[in-house]
Amino acid sequence: MNRIRIAAWAMLIAQAGIIFTGGIVRLTGSGLGCTDWPKCTPDSFVATKAMGIHGAIEFGNRTLAVLLALLGVAILVLLWKHRKARPDLFWLNIGLTAIVPVQAVMGGITVWTKLNPWVVAGHFVPSAIAVGVAAYFVRRTYDTGVRTGEKAPNPLPALGWIILVLTAVIVLFGVLTTGAGPHSGSTISTRNGLDNVWVTRLHALPVWLLVAATITALLYARRRWAPMVAPLVVLLVVEIAQGVIGYAQYFLGVPIVLVAFHMIGLSATIAASVAVLDSAYPRRVHADADRSVSLVH
């Protein structure tokens, strides 16, 4: 199980890495570094020297997607003999692996449409979902798959769901904000036409609601349900860091470095939100599990 656990962490990091490298592609204007799909150009499957740094960055993102698919296959091999005892892990990995070719095709469509912002948004959402599923996959490798028969007292499970839904809303508004902002991924691609100031303010509203829900849940969990305390603390720290970065990038004119850090924080927010909700429904822990590194299990 230790090898599976390590592989699950690798899957989570790789899924977050796809989001990060995809962001780097957009931030550096490399979205059309490869001008075609599935080939990089009509004459070459790989980036060439003539395509410069933009071609290398875009092709690097595509290469990471291939490595992610291979990782999924490797985990499938590790899980094969455990598929009857732990079907939850087996099917979670199947889902995470299956999303890779879907994302590849959607990535190809974004190239064919010259980075249409609405298509780019559709390309991003499954990646965000995959990070959440990968975080859940990691947590499941630390338990036996059997519920303890307990769950957090009300209203903590409901607050956990509210936190996850608010996180999803934040992700969607973040995608719209990105589509209205200055980093289009290419000098020839268009923006979604939304007012950047107002969509940014709409993006901030569910963030404040998420912080309020997290603090409320944390205050209640400290008195009634210890397993949720650590995940909630981690989530709150991530929220504060994201808020600081978000406001800083807004007032500083959306500098590339801060946007890159904000994207790292996005994956952390999704993973932490999933951990919070899952901690309301505990399962029996493996005897060999190190609880200190299980996404604050």
Side-chain angles (χ1 to χ4, degrees):
M1 187 57 71
N2 284 331
R3 288 187 299 172
I4 295 172
R5 191 175 300 135
I6 293 170
W9 274 103
M11 174 65 78
L12 174 58
I13 293 169
Q15 293 288 359
I18 284 289
I19 290 180
F20 179 71
T21 56
I24 295 300
V25 168
R26 177 171 54 81
L27 292 170
T28 58
S30 304
L32 295 176
C34 285
T35 58
D36 200 5
W37 188 88
K39 291 183 176 182
C40 193
T41 71
D43 302 316
S44 175
F45 273 102
V46 301
T48 63
K49 288 185 178 180
M51 299 168 67
I53 187 64
H54 294 309
I57 292 173
E58 164 64 7
F59 187 73
N61 181 244
R62 295 187 183 190
T63 302
L64 181 58
V66 174
L67 295 176
L68 183 59
L70 293 176
L71 175 61
V73 173
I75 297 175
L76 179 65
V77 173
L78 287 175
L79 283 170
W80 186 253
K81 66 179 181 180
H82 302 285
R83 66 188 185 280
K84 293 183 179 179
R86 293 302 303 270
D88 54 334
L89 299 180
F90 182 80
W91 288 109
L92 281 169
N93 181 64
I94 290 290
L96 288 167
T97 305
I99 202 171
V100 176
V102 174
Q103 282 290 76
V105 172
M106 293 182 69
I109 295 173
T110 64
V111 173
W112 294 339
T113 60
K114 305 302 179 185
L115 306 187
N116 179 290
W118 299 104
V119 178
V120 173
H123 180 44
F124 173 80
V125 171
S127 293
I129 294 173
V131 168
V133 175
Y136 183 70
F137 182 36
V138 168
R139 284 183 60 90
R140 291 286 62 79
T141 63
Y142 285 87
D143 62 47
T144 63
V146 179
R147 291 194 183 277
T148 63
E150 300 177 279
K151 72 173 181 177
N154 290 328
L156 284 172
L159 284 170
W161 281 106
I162 290 171
I163 285 170
L164 188 63
V165 170
L166 284 171
T167 300
V169 172
I170 289 166
V171 169
L172 291 175
F173 274 112
V175 170
L176 295 177
T177 303
T178 297
H183 302 297
S184 63
S186 172
T187 56
I188 68 172
S189 47
T190 60
R191 304 284 69 208
N192 60 23
L194 299 176
D195 185 280
N196 192 37
V197 173
W198 281 104
V199 75
T200 300
R201 291 174 178 174
L202 288 174
H203 178 46
L205 177 60
V207 172
W208 284 108
L209 293 175
L210 177 62
V211 171
T214 302
I215 293 174
T216 300
L218 178 57
L219 292 174
Y220 195 82
R222 288 184 64 189
R223 293 184 285 114
R224 300 291 303 275
W225 190 251
M228 285 186 77
V229 172
L232 283 164
V233 169
V234 171
L235 176 59
L236 184 59
V237 170
V238 171
E239 289 167 358
I240 293 172
Q242 278 290 82
V244 170
I245 294 172
Y247 277 104
Q249 70 177 12
Y250 177 76
F251 289 112
L252 293 176
V254 203
I256 289 177
V257 173
L258 286 181
V259 176
F261 277 108
H262 202 53
M263 298 196 70
I264 295 172
L266 170 64
S267 293
T269 303
I270 294 170
S273 296
V274 169
V276 165
L277 177 58
D278 189 53
S279 65
Y281 303 91
R283 294 167 179 79
R284 301 189 187 281
V285 178
H286 276 301
D288 66 342
D290 181 357
R291 294 175 65 88
S292 65
V293 293
S294 59
L295 275 181
V296 287
H297 201 292

